[in-house]
Amino acid sequence: MRDDRSGTFISSSQFELHVDPTAAQDAASFFVMTPEVRAGLRFGEHIEAARRPG
């Protein structure tokens, strides 16, 4: 993941701060596994009414 920023920032007291382009980069890897139990009824090919217990 990479984040690039630059610009001119003005404080509430009207102080201007000029920021040169800067970047931050970090590895962003993750894995998510979420087991799920549902019960439902199918009404045709594109409509389903389902509920998860809990």
Side-chain angles (χ1 to χ4, degrees):
M1 181 167 42
R2 183 179 169 94
D3 183 24
D4 296 278
R5 297 184 185 213
S6 66
T8 301
F9 302 94
I10 302 174
S11 72
S12 58
S13 61
Q14 302 304 310
F15 176 76
E16 284 192 8
L17 177 65
H18 300 282
V19 179
D20 292 332
T22 186
Q25 186 168 341
D26 197 8
S29 58
F30 55 90
F31 176 78
V32 177
M33 190 166 111
T34 56
E36 179 178 76
V37 175
R38 332 186 270 177
L41 298 172
R42 182 170 283 220
F43 302 102
E45 195 172 320
H46 301 285
I47 300 172
E48 177 183 316
R51 178 182 167 105
R52 290 184 283 169

